[in-house]
Amino acid sequence: MAKLPIVGRSAPRKPNESMRLLVVTIIGVMLGFFIGISFPAVSITKLHFPSSIVSYIEDKNSALTAQAILNHAWTTARNAKGNDTESSSETAMKIYVPTNPRGAESLAPGIVVPESDFHPRRLWGNPDEDLPFKPKYLVTFTVGISQKENINRAVKKFSDNFAILLFHYDGRVSEWDEFEWSKRAIHISVRRQAKWWYAKRFLHPDIVASYEYIFIWDEDLGVEHFNAEEYIKLVKKYQLEISQPGLEPDRGLTWQMTKRRGDHQVHKETEERPGWCTDPHLPPCAAFVEIMAPVFSRDAWRCVWHMIQNDLVHGWGLDFALRRCVDPAHEKIGVVDSQWIVHQVVPSLGNQGQSEHGRAPWEGVRERCRKEWGIFQTRIAEAEKSYYEMMGVPPPNVTFVH
């Protein structure tokens, strides 16, 4: 009777066969290693999943978002590579674009949006259809409720080409809703602040960059003889970067430069009292408008905004320094005579002050205005002196009226 073979047992290998198997194994490991390092690593963050899959994942479990899955996958893949591979991978992943806005250098430039605007957006629908019409210009008023009717008359002088922005210093905002235009306007409310305080904080040049001209006006201006569209035409015709409407000669007039001339469309220079102008091309005889109703081109405003001081809120002295933001200033700063206004001299903001030492609130406000004028002029002079000394250039000999 024949014996059955024993299952699971094999004949012993010969020594040369064992050596051959060992060599083949070593060669296979080395070949796999060299093939692995010859191909670039696959970046898990560059994988793109279909939107249907992402939506499904997020709908099924809101706590486990698609971004969380990607982050986990990327972390796992990175940790598995070891220190050397991790360092080189991070270097390859990092984006650095020095021409991007400060703080955004690590972003791909195609996603950077450095500028914005005051155009309201819908909370629904296609974003591309939000703005069938974009205003070209921006007008701002610093207001209190006591001047509501006057501001209503003023706003009606501005067409739909103008976006309206109100800065409320008395905190009363909802009461303006009786006007239809107010429902479309932008309202910013901070109590007891002045126009230039708002301007410094809410009119950054990158925010107002979509507007060709920016009007920064007081609330006590009569506009019976003013038309905003005609004003813009004249500003463009005479290439004014900084301007204001002419002032009615009989009301609220401080400087000869801003006095309306009945025989001009625009004027850029004047004569003042003897000794007030060291140069006919310098303020207050030229290159000068007041701070009650200035109008800036977007380029001029970018410079002026940087000159506004955080702690000096009334803006006194700023009008003498505007010339530093355009060149030649005596040609690009002017007064539009044929579109003129009346300064009503209503001390509404002064009444927002606080009575101290038995004085009326407006007295303390006026005193601070004068102090700020001196502080600002000193800062300008010292800053320029330091710069000229650093550059080894003699500073110009220019004096101003205080």
Side-chain angles (χ1 to χ4, degrees):
M1 183 174 177
K3 293 183 180 181
L4 294 174
I6 299 175
V7 178
R9 296 184 61 184
S10 60
R13 290 192 179 97
K14 295 180 181 180
N16 59 342
E17 290 180 353
S18 299
M19 182 60 68
R20 186 183 306 124
L21 180 60
L22 178 63
V23 172
V24 169
T25 301
I26 293 173
I27 293 174
V29 170
M30 295 178 63
L31 182 61
F33 173 78
F34 286 112
I35 292 176
I37 66 173
S38 300
F39 288 91
V42 177
S43 174
I44 201 72
T45 61
K46 293 184 179 180
L47 294 177
H48 297 282
F49 296 94
S51 59
S52 58
I53 296 178
V54 173
S55 300
Y56 176 79
I57 292 172
E58 293 181 339
D59 290 342
K60 295 297 289 183
N61 187 355
S62 59
L64 186 62
T65 65
Q67 184 61 50
I69 294 173
L70 288 174
N71 289 342
H72 177 73
W74 164 243
T75 303
T76 303
R78 186 177 61 180
N79 291 340
K81 287 178 177 287
N83 292 336
D84 293 339
T85 308
E86 178 180 353
S87 176
S88 62
S89 177
E90 285 183 345
T91 302
M93 289 293 298
K94 186 174 182 179
I95 294 173
Y96 183 80
V97 184
T99 55
N100 279 1
R102 182 179 179 184
E105 295 89 349
S106 62
L107 297 178
I111 196 61
V112 174
V113 183
E115 298 175 350
S116 189
D117 51 58
F118 287 114
H119 305 325
R121 297 279 182 170
R122 302 178 302 176
L123 301 181
W124 67 94
N126 189 336
D128 293 338
E129 300 172 356
D130 283 351
L131 303 172
F133 176 79
K134 296 181 181 180
K136 297 179 181 178
Y137 319 112
L138 175 68
V139 56
T140 77
F141 293 98
T142 302
V143 303
I145 199 66
S146 63
Q147 290 294 305
K148 182 172 64 172
E149 294 299 331
N150 192 57
I151 292 297
N152 181 45
R153 289 189 291 270
V155 169
K156 290 179 179 178
K157 293 291 183 173
F158 294 87
S159 70
D160 290 340
N161 277 324
F162 292 81
I164 306 298
L165 170 58
L166 299 188
F167 297 123
H168 298 269
Y169 60 75
D170 60 357
R172 299 171 68 176
V173 178
S174 60
E175 293 159 86
W176 292 79
D177 283 348
E178 67 178 88
F179 304 123
E180 186 62 32
W181 59 262
S182 178
K183 299 173 184 178
R184 301 187 304 271
I186 306 298
H187 297 265
I188 296 175
S189 177
V190 183
R191 291 177 180 271
R192 294 190 171 188
Q193 299 303 318
K195 175 168 67 175
W196 300 105
W197 184 93
Y198 297 110
K200 185 65 173 178
R201 287 150 183 82
F202 300 105
L203 298 181
H204 188 282
D206 290 344
I207 296 297
V208 299
S210 65
Y211 307 105
E212 295 179 33
Y213 293 93
I214 300 99
F215 292 60
I216 305 180
W217 281 20
D218 290 349
E219 62 182 337
D220 59 340
L221 304 176
V223 293
E224 181 181 354
H225 305 281
F226 179 81
N227 180 284
E229 290 286 356
E230 293 300 317
Y231 184 91
I232 292 293
K233 290 179 182 177
L234 291 171
V235 165
K236 292 181 177 180
K237 175 181 177 180
Y238 289 93
Q239 300 180 338
L240 299 179
E241 296 291 318
I242 301 175
S243 64
Q244 75 160 78
L247 291 177
E248 166 58 44
D250 299 328
R251 297 286 300 277
L253 185 66
T254 302
W255 306 99
Q256 290 297 314
M257 178 63 187
T258 55
K259 178 180 178 179
R260 179 178 68 90
R261 297 183 183 177
D263 57 345
H264 284 65
Q265 283 188 322
V266 166
H267 74 270
K268 302 179 182 181
E269 58 185 26
T270 191
E271 292 184 4
E272 267 290 354
R273 283 170 259 187
W276 279 35
C277 298
T278 59
D279 186 309
H281 289 166
L282 291 178
C285 288
F288 177 78
V289 298
E290 295 189 68
I291 58 174
M292 72 177 73
V295 180
F296 303 95
S297 71
R298 67 161 68 94
D299 290 337
W301 177 246
R302 183 169 291 276
C303 171
V304 172
W305 183 88
H306 285 283
M307 191 163 54
I308 297 173
Q309 308 290 286
N310 287 344
D311 58 331
L312 306 182
V313 297
H314 291 291
W316 280 34
L318 188 65
D319 39 15
F320 279 84
L322 295 176
R323 65 184 182 85
R324 290 167 168 81
C325 286
V326 292
D327 185 43
H330 65 278
E331 294 182 5
K332 295 187 177 182
I333 300 178
V335 174
V336 179
D337 299 288
S338 59
Q339 297 296 319
W340 49 282
I341 60 176
V342 175
H343 187 203
Q344 298 168 341
V345 198
V346 178
S348 51
L349 185 59
N351 293 334
Q352 296 292 310
Q354 184 171 325
S355 179
E356 294 180 339
H357 310 297
R359 297 187 303 175
W362 69 266
E363 292 183 277
V365 172
R366 181 53 61 96
E367 181 182 13
R368 172 155 179 158
C369 288
R370 293 193 179 99
K371 286 181 179 178
E372 288 195 2
W373 190 355
I375 292 170
F376 182 72
Q377 295 290 57
T378 299
R379 287 182 183 177
I380 284 283
E382 291 181 349
E384 293 189 345
K385 179 181 178 182
S386 296
Y387 174 77
Y388 288 125
E389 288 177 351
M390 179 184 69
M391 299 299 293
V393 178
N397 184 21
V398 178
T399 58
F400 300 96
V401 177
H402 288 271

